[in-house]
Amino acid sequence: MAKAVLMQGNHACAEGALAAGARFFAGYPITPSTEVAELLAKRLPQVGGTFIQMEDEIAGMAATIGAALTGVKSLTATSGPGFSLKQELIGYASMAEVPCVIVNVQRVGPSTGQPTSPAQADIMQARWGSHGDRGVIALSPASVPECFSLTIEAFNLAEQYRTPVVLLLDEIIGHMREKIEIPAADSLTIVNRKKPVLPPGEFLPYQPEADGIPPMPAYGDGYRFHVTGLAHDYTGFPSGANSTSQELIARLHTKITDHADKIVTFEEQQLADAEIAVIAFGGTARTAYAAVEMARRQGIKAGLFRPITIWPSPAKQLKALAQKAKTIIVAELNYGQYVQEVERIVAGQAKVVSLAKWNNDPITPQEMLAAITGAQAN
Amino acid sequence: MEQLLEKYYRPKLPHIWCPGCGNGIVTAAIVRAIDKLGLDQDKTTIVSGIGCSSRASGYLNFDTLHTAHGRALPFATGIKLAKPDHKVLVITGDGDATAIGGNHFIHAARRNIDLTVIVYNNNIYGMTGGQYSPLTPQMARATTAPYGNIDRAFDLSELAKGAGATFVARSTTYHAKQLAELVAKGIAHEGFAVVEALTGCPISYGRQNKLSKPAALLAWQRDHTVPVEAAARLKPEQLAGKIKIGVLHQETAPEYSAEYGKVIKQAMGGRS
């Protein structure tokens, strides 16, 4: 039976990973993500799982991928500078199609920045941080209960689409304490990677099925398959053929974009008649709930669109939003990252305004209300 | 050898290595060691980094993982911890293991995790065309050291021992039979085992250092090595310029994945 407890976002994330079936964590301590590691150091061995604190961020990502190849659901957690260090191997996980979860509790950057202050400044790093071209899934929770449920969702998506999935927390959500009712284990939907049906010898480890995703044996299952970060054909072995790179890199994108309708999740608040729509995610959405209510009390037709899936973009929903709202305000804790994606999608169909803040503090409801009333006046 | 080829190699030959390269000899020594120990092919994983040597994983009929430059050891650590009953072998080059992967190398040794690392030491970055590595001898020439390399080289075996490796051995492609025996000892050893295999690179190293003939590289290995047992009886001046081969260090210490097994047992309240 569900029991209500007071819990921190980072802890809810760790508990969500356990509920998803994660049994391996490797990482390196970095503020403000450390509580994810600390709780898993205690909890993983209690369920027969393994925690290891590696020598650096890169090693944390490498060990996570290694464990995932043995069939064990695996994760790492980090923050801005650590996320940068992990990027090469996040790309490796994309290329080799190894399901795993990377929790990034964002802090102010660039560089060491402000370790204990909130930011949402890794939106584009999550999308474009690794070299080369790849499809990306990234999710952003806006509450402690959602830290739990979206961590499960991150694992489900990773397993289903054979891809690394990034959970983009921010310091506000990671360190916030809220009431959460941990659902009963049997009420949860848990997805596991599909296993090969063909026997070893007939099976090609990188041959996609109709959904664009190849089944995945575990090391030790008897398939004796090869995994590489090099461009590879269906056999898994390196190939320099133009057609191989062409098809493989396209599939790393299309296996996600073709299923965007199933992957993309979002929340709408008072948008039905809204003339001014605020787009906000993560900790900033908390401000937006209050600001929209304040605006409504002043008679302004304001509403909120909260992307839960940051990547792939909720393009269809944003295009529809641009048909209804006159002005879209994109509120985020950075110099203006996601606003560029919204501008690209909206393509001039609505006015897009940036409400960006990067001074270590969250956006206040008053600041957001001022942006809404300013948009109303124009 | 034909039986070994059939059983342990994937039908992917010829390999990519240059004529005269010693990497095939080192790889064959690993296969002989695996065969001697009768390892379960489905419970043996071979992990490699990036570089000439690290392509060996692709030729071997096991679960194999060709990772990123320098990162073979942390990938292997994840595999070993998630599957403690598996044997995990790591194939890496001198630049891979001691430059970009140097931090991982010393920490894997410190943990004494049960991995067997075979370092193909050809004293150079071969695949990228002959740049100096941390194991390039001082004053040797490299494409990035056209006036001679002023960097001091690591003694890989001393580095491994100092960092906590519990088995350290060294041999050469000239001593191929001994090399296979040392790899087998390393695999059988429970803990972090390092086997340094001196291998000749006639193209990227040899051409810059008057050793472009494969036979000359093998002769160099013959003339510059001394068995560790014989070395004990030699005077310092007789040992000058000589490289010791054989088992250089072996001790017993708690193994990491087994120790973590105890943590799990404790955390589960004695249940498992």
Side-chain angles (χ1 to χ4, degrees), chain A residues 55 92 219-220 226-228, chain B residues 10 42 63-64 66 104 111 260:
Chain A
E55 57 272 17
Y92 183 97
Y219 277 178
H226 186 58
V227 175
T228 180
Chain B
R10 289 172 170 141
D42 291 328
D63 286 321
T64 49
H66 180 230
H104 307 311
R111 284 184 200 109
Y260 199 83

Side-chain angles (χ1 to χ4, degrees), chain B residues 37-50:
Chain B
L37 296 170
L39 297 188
D40 183 338
Q41 268 170 281
D42 291 328
K43 288 191 164 187
T44 302
T45 308
I46 298 180
V47 184
S48 64
I50 291 289

Side-chain angles (χ1 to χ4, degrees), chain A residues 70-108:
Chain A
T70 71
V72 176
K73 290 184 185 177
S74 307
L75 79 155
T76 187
T78 188
S79 185
F83 193 50
S84 299
L85 285 169
K86 290 184 195 297
Q87 287 295 344
E88 180 200 9
L89 295 186
I90 294 172
Y92 183 97
S94 286
M95 188 60 144
E97 300 185 72
V98 183
C100 56
V101 170
I102 302 105
V103 179
N104 174 15
V105 189
Q106 297 163 93
R107 64 191 235 181
V108 174

Side-chain angles (χ1 to χ4, degrees), chain A residues 6 40 49 60 89 101 103 121 170 187 195 263 281 288 292 311 328 341 345 364 368:
Chain A
L6 188 68
L40 287 171
L89 295 186
V101 170
V103 179
D170 48 63
S187 71
K195 293 271 188 177
I263 297 170
F281 46 83
V292 164
W311 305 108
I328 294 173
E341 178 68 359
I345 292 164
T364 64
M368 202 176 284

Side-chain angles (χ1 to χ4, degrees), chain A residues 148-161:
Chain A
F148 181 86
S149 60
L150 277 194
T151 305
I152 296 173
E153 182 62 11
F155 273 101
N156 286 350
L157 292 167
E159 293 283 317
Q160 185 167 358
Y161 297 103

